[in-house]
Amino acid sequence: MPPANSQLLLNRRFARRGLGLWQRAPGGHLLPAGVRPWLLDPGSLTRKLRQLSHNQLSVHILRQSWGRPRLSEARALGVDITQHGLIREVILCGPYEEPWVYARSLFPAASLTGSLRHLRQLDNRPLGGYLFSHPHLGRSPLSVAALPPGSGVPESLQGDKLLWGRRSVFSLKGKQLLVSEVFLPAFAARFFTEEDT
Ligand SMILES: C=C(O[C@@H]1C=C(C(=O)O)C=C[C@H]1O)C(=O)O
């Protein structure tokens, strides 16, 4: 199926279910072959990008401040939308600081206590490095989205195309956090085929 149709089909399915843009990852056949392994890999994206970039990966903080979750984020975490949490937005850059992934993580206040308290000051250390160092890390099934301009990715990063994204809820020591990752145009241009974008 031509990718544009698969993205439109995904969006139509999402819209019909009133789930907004994020939808539990559909059967692989609905996702273009080139993006499927990136969207559905349950492992650490940081690790994958480090390998791809021959360890030339950097994390740039766009935001790390308290705020209210978006409606779909509150639903994914099962928290009230009025409940403030720590919002962390970063860009993962490959060689020559090329912007590859925009990531937005939502930490409910109750999750930033005890042994996870230090995540308040993660700075430019990759979140995945900490999360995936724990053998008992839990992760919900991945949801995916084909994100149009205006759906939450900073305009300066989005460009004018649909961007593929994935998100899931991590669980560690009884605490939860939501991580959304969006593959940016420069990454798509370099690693996705024409049929995927
Ligand atoms: C969850 C991971 O952490 C990565 C690093 C992030 C950060 O530093 O804020 C956010 C999302 C991920 O791209 C991972 O590596 O899979």
Side-chain angles (χ1 to χ4, degrees):
M1 175 183 293
N5 290 352
S6 65
Q7 289 172 355
L8 292 176
L9 182 56
L10 276 173
N11 286 347
R12 265 204 297 275
R13 280 182 62 189
F14 301 177
R16 205 170 39 245
R17 297 191 182 184
L19 290 175
L21 292 167
W22 293 97
Q23 173 71 37
R24 186 64 54 82
H29 66 283
L30 257 184
L31 297 171
V35 296
R36 200 179 306 156
W38 290 100
L39 291 178
L40 304 185
D41 185 317
S44 168
L45 185 56
T46 301
R47 185 177 303 139
K48 210 173 158 105
L49 295 178
R50 278 202 194 290
Q51 289 164 348
L52 185 66
S53 65
H54 305 294
N55 217 24
Q56 297 176 73
L57 185 74
S58 56
V59 179
H60 295 269
I61 310 288
L62 294 179
R63 171 188 179 179
Q64 182 142 313
S65 59
W66 292 86
R68 288 172 49 169
R70 294 168 181 155
L71 179 56
S72 83
E73 293 172 331
R75 280 179 173 169
L77 279 167
V79 298
D80 189 292
I81 192 166
T82 60
Q83 186 181 335
H84 278 54
L86 183 66
I87 299 170
R88 173 180 166 89
E89 296 182 8
V90 302
I91 306 176
L92 302 183
C93 294
Y96 310 108
E97 298 306 317
E98 189 174 56
W100 280 5
V101 170
Y102 161 75
R104 175 180 161 101
S105 302
L106 205 295
F107 305 77
S111 297
L112 291 171
T113 57
S115 58
L116 269 60
R117 188 176 179 80
H118 67 86
L119 291 180
R120 295 164 184 250
Q121 286 94 28
L122 200 54
D123 301 325
N124 62 351
R125 286 162 293 165
L127 172 61
Y130 172 77
L131 293 178
F132 284 89
S133 68
H134 289 78
H136 302 298
L137 177 70
R139 187 173 200 167
S140 71
L142 283 152
S143 294
V144 298
L147 298 166
S151 57
V153 176
E155 196 176 327
S156 60
L157 298 172
Q158 168 96 32
D160 58 359
K161 290 190 172 182
L162 285 171
L163 299 180
W164 286 107
R166 69 185 208 153
R167 86 177 182 186
S168 59
V169 176
F170 286 98
S171 308
L172 188 58
K173 302 177 183 179
K175 303 174 195 298
Q176 293 197 315
L177 60 131
L178 175 68
V179 176
S180 306
E181 298 153 319
V182 182
F183 295 97
L184 296 173
F187 186 89
R190 191 178 293 279
F191 301 109
F192 294 167
T193 62
E194 188 59 36
E195 291 66 36
D196 301 325
T197 53

